[in-house]
């Protein structure tokens, strides 16, 4: 909003709101305010009152501009992983999720939302409860990183320890740690690391880092380097010995095959639910959050519950919401505001389409495809794969005699994307969507390694 337009009597906010100066004045009068500025308490350091410098364009010019931006993306066959995994999403997901009952501009998390949508979200929650063995799942979060941040702040409320430290593995992905530290900064939580050894937790190092100041211990399975964490039970015991929350990061595909988190003592499970139902894209995430019933009233986001109406029919309704929009601000335990319900719907449809056997088959393919590709790369001169002599899921690290960055760049020239994760280490992820391209990747590695 410019000074000129304000002088002309236009309202603040969106120009598409049908508020004339007269209606705005009537509303201000009704609430006893002199101006719209009186309705907002924006701190001066973050207030903005100027031009964005965005040039107005026609629809055609805007399309051309956006197409030009998207055209700058490299067209590579991606063997990338490290938190972003591409699984085939069957057409039934797009078809059902595109029905008008679901694909609506109406906010999908309000109590008035349709019963069918609430039922789908309830089933999404039920699927996560069954996979984790825990009691309560919320019905969506932004992504795995924000779910981890919410777990860290949860630990401050539910643990009676005297300190405010949370421990994460030293190999935690940089982006996830940055989000966690942003979450931790407000309540004064200290994010510290414990060592890993050969891509799994170093139990001696973890025990040395633990004391009565630790409120949460976080571990991942699979780890960021694709290995199966073999010490989950011991990590859970160590956390429990110090009354620290044990938070486990994973995803629903991996959970179909790996140890049930509840059986190894996990108090909270976080991760990416979007590995089902959501194609990999530039930044799309869909977080999951599951915990014990003891923490029911501390769960961030929203919960859908089952009930009965006065006729005795089964019904669904939003039950507990901890954010300040819905309850008194001083009682709010989280202000996260997700509108990921549609993604949760897609995840639920994909999981139902697979069924227990299909989900297990998909998980097993994540083991065999990664193992087979590592074996093929291991015979290439100048390559050793995998670096870690452990079981792997979806991805693995390979050592290269040439500098990893040079190998990565040459593979990109050949049309394949991998991560360079060390001076002589690349990381390769393979799923059913890229398995047919493995021959080409191996041939390219033979040329550049």
């Amino acid at each position: 909003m410019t000074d000129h337009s304000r002088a002309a009597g236009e309202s603040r906010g969106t120009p598409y709101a049908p508020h004339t100066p007269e209606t705005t004045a009537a509303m201000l009068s009704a609430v006893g305010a002199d101006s719209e500025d009186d309705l907002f308490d924006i701190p001066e350091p973050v207030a903005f009152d100027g031009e964005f410098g965005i040039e107005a364009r026609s629809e055609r010019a805007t399309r051309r501009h956006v197409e030009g931006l998207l055209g700058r993306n490299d067209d590579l066959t991606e063997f990338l992983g490290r938190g972003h995994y591409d699984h085939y999403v069957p057409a039934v997901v797009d078809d059902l999720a595109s029905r008008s009952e679901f694909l609506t501009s109406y906010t999908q998390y309000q109590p008035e939302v349709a019963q069918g949508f609430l039922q789908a979200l309830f089933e999404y929650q039920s699927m996560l409860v069954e996979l984790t063995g825990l009691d309560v799942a919320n019905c969506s979060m932004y992504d795995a990183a924000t779910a981890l941040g919410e777990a860290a702040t949860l630990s401050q409320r539910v643990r009676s320890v005297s300190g405010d430290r949370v421990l994460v593995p030293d190999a935690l992905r940089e982006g996830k740690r940055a989000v966690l530290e942003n979450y931790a900064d407000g309540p004064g939580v200290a994010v510290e690391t414990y060592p890993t050894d050969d891509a799994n937790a170093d139990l001696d190092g973890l025990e040395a880092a633990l004391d009565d100041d630790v409120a949460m211990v976080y571990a991942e399975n699979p780890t960021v380097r694709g290995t199966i964490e073999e010490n989950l039970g011991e990590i859970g015991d160590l956390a429990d010995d110090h009354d620290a929350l044990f938070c486990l990061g994973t995803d629903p595909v991996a959970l179909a095959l790996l140890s049930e988190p509840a059986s190894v003592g996990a108090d909270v499970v976080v991760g990416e639910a979007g590995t089902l139902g959501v194609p990999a894209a530039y930044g799309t995430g869909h977080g999951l959050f599951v915990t014990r019933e003891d923490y029911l009233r501390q769960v961030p986001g929203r919960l859908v519950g089952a009930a009965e109406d006065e006729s005795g029919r089964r019904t669904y309704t939003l039950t507990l919401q901890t954010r300040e929009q819905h309850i008194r601000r001083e009682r709010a335990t989280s202000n996260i505001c997700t509108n990921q319900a549609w993604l949760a719907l897609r995840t639920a449809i994909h999981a139902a389409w697979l069924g227990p056997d299909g989900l297990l088959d998909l998980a097993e393919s994540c083991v065999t495809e990664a193992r087979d590709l590592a074996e093929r790369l291991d015979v290439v001169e100048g390559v050793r794969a995998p670096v870690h002599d452990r079981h792997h899921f979806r991805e693995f690290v390979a050592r290269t005699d040439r500098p990893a960055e040079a190998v990565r760049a040459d593979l990109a020239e050949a049309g394949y994307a991998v991560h360079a994760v060390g001076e002589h280490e690349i990381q390769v992820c393979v799923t059913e969507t890229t398995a047919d391209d493995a021959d080409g990747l191996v041939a390219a590695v033979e040329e550049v390694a």
Side-chain angles (χ1 to χ4, degrees), residues 61-83:
T62 302
R63 281 181 175 272
R64 189 165 57 243
H65 176 68
V66 173
E67 287 168 358
L69 291 176
L70 295 176
R72 292 162 56 185
N73 289 326
D74 291 330
D75 184 18
L76 304 178
T77 302
E78 297 181 358
F79 286 85
L80 302 170
R82 296 179 64 81

Side-chain angles (χ1 to χ4, degrees), residues 221-409:
N221 192 32
T223 70
V224 70
R225 291 169 76 90
T227 59
I228 302 303
E229 174 59 65
E230 300 173 0
N231 304 306
L232 289 177
E234 291 84 352
I235 295 172
D237 290 341
L238 285 171
D240 190 52
D241 289 345
H242 292 79
D243 196 29
L245 201 75
F246 177 26
C247 178
L248 178 63
T250 184
D251 69 79
V253 178
L255 284 173
L257 190 62
L258 302 179
S259 297
E260 189 178 72
S263 70
V264 293
D267 299 296
V268 181
V269 176
V270 299
E272 283 291 345
T275 50
L276 291 177
V278 185
Y282 297 100
T284 301
H286 172 212
L288 64 89
F289 191 102
V290 195
T291 188
R292 300 185 182 281
E293 188 170 3
D294 294 346
Y295 312 139
L296 175 64
R297 294 184 178 276
Q298 302 287 336
V299 174
R302 298 162 180 83
L303 302 177
V304 175
E308 289 185 354
D309 66 10
E310 61 182 9
S311 305
R313 293 178 300 184
R314 186 176 177 83
T315 59
Y316 301 91
T317 183
L318 287 182
T319 52
L320 298 172
Q321 300 168 74
T322 59
R323 68 182 301 255
E324 63 192 40
Q325 179 180 327
H326 302 281
I327 61 177
R328 285 182 295 181
R329 176 173 295 185
E330 62 271 20
R331 295 182 58 194
T333 56
S334 168
N335 191 36
I336 193 164
C337 179
T338 67
N339 191 14
Q340 303 282 65
W342 192 67
L343 297 182
L345 169 76
R346 294 181 62 96
T347 295
I349 294 171
H350 194 172
W353 180 80
L354 286 170
D357 292 340
L359 190 56
L360 182 59
D361 290 343
L362 177 59
E364 288 178 339
S365 76
C366 292
V367 175
T368 56
E369 299 288 2
R371 182 184 60 209
D372 293 347
L373 181 54
E375 289 176 350
R376 295 182 64 186
L377 290 177
D378 193 47
V379 300
V380 175
E381 186 174 351
V383 177
R384 180 166 68 88
V387 166
H388 307 293
D389 184 20
R390 299 185 183 278
H391 296 292
H392 289 75
F393 194 87
R394 290 197 190 97
E395 55 194 326
F396 56 88
V397 174
R399 179 173 178 80
T400 58
D401 288 349
R402 289 186 65 209
E405 180 55 34
V407 173
R408 184 207 62 78

